[in-house]
Short mmCIF file of all heavy atoms in Angstrom, two decimals:
data_model
loop_
_atom_site.label_atom_id
_atom_site.label_comp_id
_atom_site.label_asym_id
_atom_site.label_seq_id
_atom_site.Cartn_x
_atom_site.Cartn_y
_atom_site.Cartn_z
N GLU A 1162 35.63 1.13 99.65
CA GLU A 1162 34.40 0.52 100.14
C GLU A 1162 34.19 -0.85 99.50
O GLU A 1162 33.78 -1.81 100.15
CB GLU A 1162 33.18 1.41 99.82
CG GLU A 1162 32.98 2.54 100.80
CD GLU A 1162 31.93 3.57 100.31
OE1 GLU A 1162 31.56 3.55 99.11
OE2 GLU A 1162 31.52 4.38 101.13
N LYS A 1176 43.64 -12.45 95.14
CA LYS A 1176 42.95 -12.16 93.88
C LYS A 1176 42.16 -10.85 93.96
O LYS A 1176 41.37 -10.53 93.07
CB LYS A 1176 41.95 -13.28 93.56
CG LYS A 1176 42.56 -14.64 93.27
CD LYS A 1176 43.04 -14.68 91.82
CE LYS A 1176 43.38 -16.07 91.33
NZ LYS A 1176 44.32 -16.81 92.16
N VAL A 1184 34.99 -5.73 88.84
CA VAL A 1184 33.80 -4.98 89.24
C VAL A 1184 33.82 -3.56 88.64
O VAL A 1184 32.81 -3.06 88.17
CB VAL A 1184 33.69 -4.91 90.79
CG1 VAL A 1184 32.64 -3.89 91.21
CG2 VAL A 1184 33.36 -6.28 91.36
N ARG A 1191 28.81 0.05 90.85
CA ARG A 1191 27.42 0.35 91.23
C ARG A 1191 26.70 -0.95 91.58
O ARG A 1191 26.73 -1.92 90.83
CB ARG A 1191 26.68 1.05 90.09
CG ARG A 1191 27.12 2.49 89.88
CD ARG A 1191 26.07 3.24 89.10
NE ARG A 1191 24.86 3.42 89.89
CZ ARG A 1191 24.60 4.51 90.60
NH1 ARG A 1191 25.42 5.53 90.58
NH2 ARG A 1191 23.49 4.59 91.29
N TYR A 1206 23.12 -8.27 86.03
CA TYR A 1206 22.67 -7.59 87.24
C TYR A 1206 23.79 -7.27 88.24
O TYR A 1206 24.58 -8.15 88.58
CB TYR A 1206 21.63 -8.45 87.97
CG TYR A 1206 20.38 -8.66 87.14
CD1 TYR A 1206 20.37 -9.60 86.12
CD2 TYR A 1206 19.23 -7.92 87.38
CE1 TYR A 1206 19.23 -9.79 85.34
CE2 TYR A 1206 18.08 -8.11 86.62
CZ TYR A 1206 18.09 -9.04 85.60
OH TYR A 1206 16.97 -9.22 84.83
N TYR A 1215 21.49 -17.95 83.15
CA TYR A 1215 21.92 -19.15 83.89
C TYR A 1215 21.85 -19.02 85.40
O TYR A 1215 21.74 -20.01 86.10
CB TYR A 1215 23.38 -19.47 83.55
CG TYR A 1215 23.66 -19.60 82.09
CD1 TYR A 1215 24.37 -18.63 81.40
CD2 TYR A 1215 23.18 -20.71 81.39
CE1 TYR A 1215 24.62 -18.75 80.04
CE2 TYR A 1215 23.43 -20.84 80.04
CZ TYR A 1215 24.15 -19.86 79.37
OH TYR A 1215 24.37 -19.98 78.03
N CYS A 1227 22.34 -20.01 90.95
CA CYS A 1227 22.70 -19.38 92.23
C CYS A 1227 21.54 -19.38 93.23
O CYS A 1227 21.69 -18.88 94.35
CB CYS A 1227 23.21 -17.97 92.01
SG CYS A 1227 24.89 -17.92 91.33
N ASN A 1238 23.31 -4.69 100.05
CA ASN A 1238 23.91 -5.83 100.75
C ASN A 1238 24.36 -6.83 99.66
O ASN A 1238 23.54 -7.49 99.04
CB ASN A 1238 22.86 -6.47 101.68
CG ASN A 1238 23.41 -7.67 102.42
OD1 ASN A 1238 24.46 -8.23 102.06
ND2 ASN A 1238 22.71 -8.10 103.46
N LYS A 1241 24.50 -11.90 98.64
CA LYS A 1241 24.02 -12.89 97.66
C LYS A 1241 24.81 -12.79 96.35
O LYS A 1241 25.16 -13.82 95.75
CB LYS A 1241 22.54 -12.68 97.35
CG LYS A 1241 21.64 -12.80 98.55
CD LYS A 1241 21.06 -14.19 98.67
CE LYS A 1241 19.96 -14.21 99.72
NZ LYS A 1241 19.87 -15.50 100.40
N THR A 1244 28.25 -14.41 96.85
CA THR A 1244 28.20 -15.87 96.83
C THR A 1244 28.04 -16.38 95.41
O THR A 1244 28.69 -17.35 94.99
CB THR A 1244 27.02 -16.36 97.70
OG1 THR A 1244 27.17 -15.82 99.01
CG2 THR A 1244 26.99 -17.88 97.78
N PHE A 1255 37.90 -16.30 85.98
CA PHE A 1255 37.61 -14.92 85.61
C PHE A 1255 37.17 -14.80 84.14
O PHE A 1255 36.60 -13.80 83.74
CB PHE A 1255 38.84 -14.03 85.84
CG PHE A 1255 39.11 -13.75 87.29
CD1 PHE A 1255 40.33 -14.06 87.88
CD2 PHE A 1255 38.13 -13.14 88.09
CE1 PHE A 1255 40.58 -13.78 89.21
CE2 PHE A 1255 38.36 -12.85 89.43
CZ PHE A 1255 39.60 -13.18 89.99
N ALA A 1257 34.80 -15.94 82.77
CA ALA A 1257 33.35 -15.81 82.64
C ALA A 1257 32.94 -14.35 82.38
O ALA A 1257 31.83 -14.09 81.94
CB ALA A 1257 32.66 -16.31 83.92
N LYS A 1268 46.77 -6.82 82.32
CA LYS A 1268 46.88 -5.37 82.37
C LYS A 1268 47.24 -4.93 83.79
O LYS A 1268 47.10 -5.70 84.73
CB LYS A 1268 45.54 -4.73 81.97
CG LYS A 1268 45.02 -5.19 80.61
CD LYS A 1268 44.68 -4.00 79.73
CE LYS A 1268 44.64 -4.38 78.26
NZ LYS A 1268 43.38 -5.02 77.87
N PRO A 1271 44.09 -2.34 89.52
CA PRO A 1271 43.88 -1.18 90.39
C PRO A 1271 44.75 -1.23 91.65
O PRO A 1271 45.01 -2.30 92.20
CB PRO A 1271 42.40 -1.29 90.78
CG PRO A 1271 41.78 -2.17 89.77
CD PRO A 1271 42.85 -3.09 89.27
N SER A 1274 46.41 -0.26 97.68
CA SER A 1274 47.32 -0.22 98.83
C SER A 1274 46.85 0.77 99.92
O SER A 1274 47.25 0.65 101.07
CB SER A 1274 48.74 0.11 98.38
OG SER A 1274 48.75 1.33 97.68
#
Side-chain angles (χ1 to χ4, degrees):
E1162 279 169 346
K1176 295 279 193 307
V1184 168
R1191 287 199 68 96
Y1206 297 79
Y1215 306 108
C1227 285
N1238 180 344
K1241 300 265 190 212
T1244 304
F1255 286 124
K1268 305 232 159 80
S1274 56

